[in-house]
Amino acid sequence: MKILVINGPNLNLLGKREENIYGSKTLAEINASISEYAKNNNAEAYFFQSNIEGEIVSKIGESRKEYDGIIINPAAYSHYSIAILDAIRAISIPVIEVHLSNIYKREDYREKSVTAKGSVGVIAGLGHYGYILALDFLLKGSK
Ligand code: DQA
């Protein structure tokens, strides 16, 4: 199984950015633990991070023939990007949305995720462990 993990804007700053909310691990450290978990389960994880909405849209569109599932943290784009929602809806592979923080107990403008309307499910508030749970679902739970 090949799984693509997409992270949106400012997630390249993890480890330095609002550590009290997003934790102290860097994106490279999180990705390494996802890779290891995938390998231990006979799967491969691939990674893409961009601060640019259009790049994320293009990557999702290109992914449909290459991967068996996508884990995406669209970051701030979650709250307003219909372009990313449409891209998710345009592909047939399962997409799981992950948020490090619990978006429901933060500012009102974070409560709504428009991109989540295209996903199979959402994991929020469990920190970097959310990516592993999403991967586990794609590897085992979706069967
Ligand atoms: C986030 C939550 C978003 O509201 C925020 O804009 C982010 C990260 C999270 O992982 O908790 O950048 O998606």
Side-chain angles (χ1 to χ4, degrees), residues 1-51:
M1 244 189 155
K2 288 169 77 176
I3 305 297
L4 177 66
V5 181
I6 300 177
N7 279 289
N10 301 307
L11 293 170
N12 54 315
L13 300 176
L14 286 177
K16 309 189 245 310
R17 173 193 181 204
E18 297 180 283
E19 281 183 59
N20 56 322
I21 298 174
Y22 298 119
S24 55
K25 279 194 193 289
T26 64
L27 188 58
E29 288 167 342
I30 293 172
N31 289 349
S33 65
I34 297 170
S35 249
E36 193 189 339
Y37 192 89
K39 277 198 191 106
N40 290 340
N41 287 279
N42 302 315
E44 274 175 279
Y46 298 82
F47 301 95
F48 180 76
Q49 190 278 329
S50 177
N51 295 327

Side-chain angles (χ1 to χ4, degrees), residues 45-104:
Y46 298 82
F47 301 95
F48 180 76
Q49 190 278 329
S50 177
N51 295 327
I52 300 166
E53 184 180 23
E55 288 185 358
I56 297 171
V57 169
S58 297
K59 189 71 182 176
I60 294 168
E62 289 159 13
S63 301
R64 65 193 157 139
K65 290 201 180 125
E66 282 194 49
Y67 302 98
D68 301 296
I70 294 179
I71 298 166
I72 187 167
N73 182 346
Y77 287 139
S78 314
H79 310 303
Y80 63 92
S81 177
I82 303 206
I84 293 177
L85 170 62
D86 284 348
I88 293 170
R89 282 184 167 157
I91 58 170
S92 51
I93 58 173
V95 177
I96 315 293
E97 182 165 315
V98 170
H99 296 282
L100 294 148
S101 65
N102 182 350
I103 54 174
Y104 303 102

